[in-house]
Amino acid sequence: MVKVMIVDDAAFMRMVIKDILTKNGHEVVAECVDGLDAVNKYPEVKPELVFMDIVMPNMEGIDALKKIMEMDPAAKIVMCSSIGQQSVVTDALKTGALDFIVKPFDATKVLEVIGKVV
């Protein structure tokens, strides 16, 4: 079981990934609506893994990734992107993200990524 924080401004996307995780024995310790929310909650909930959207209001995923990595260089963050954001995904990987998954989420891919990075 992995303790996961989900960061996405779309409630539906948070629900989809939460459903995949909980049905497979993982615990969602926090759901965040944007990067700023994630940066504030990360030290509180200390997740073992973060699924982070890239495009969000208030603070984008890349900026939140940078701030969380400054707080915790061992943070395990997987970026979530829509097709067509390849250059942003590359930047995220260079910044410290361990992997990325493409929306819409495929349960098999989500679980595969967890097995690979945790």
Side-chain angles (χ1 to χ4, degrees), residues 14-79:
R14 290 194 311 272
M15 184 187 73
V16 168
I17 198 161
K18 182 178 184 176
D19 190 52
I20 293 168
L21 294 170
T22 55
K23 281 183 177 172
N24 288 279
H26 301 292
E27 180 186 356
V28 175
V29 293
E31 290 184 48
C32 304
V33 297
D34 59 38
L36 187 59
D37 192 17
V39 169
N40 291 331
K41 281 186 184 166
Y42 184 88
E44 250 176 69
V45 298
K46 296 178 178 63
E48 296 170 271
L49 179 63
V50 178
F51 281 101
M52 174 111 53
D53 187 19
I54 293 176
V55 180
M56 296 180 287
N58 299 321
M59 183 186 289
E60 298 239 341
I62 299 290
D63 295 328
L65 167 68
K66 288 175 185 171
K67 290 192 180 300
I68 290 172
M69 294 303 293
E70 285 170 13
M71 277 191 277
D72 179 7
K76 294 180 178 176
I77 302 174
V78 173
M79 303 306 287

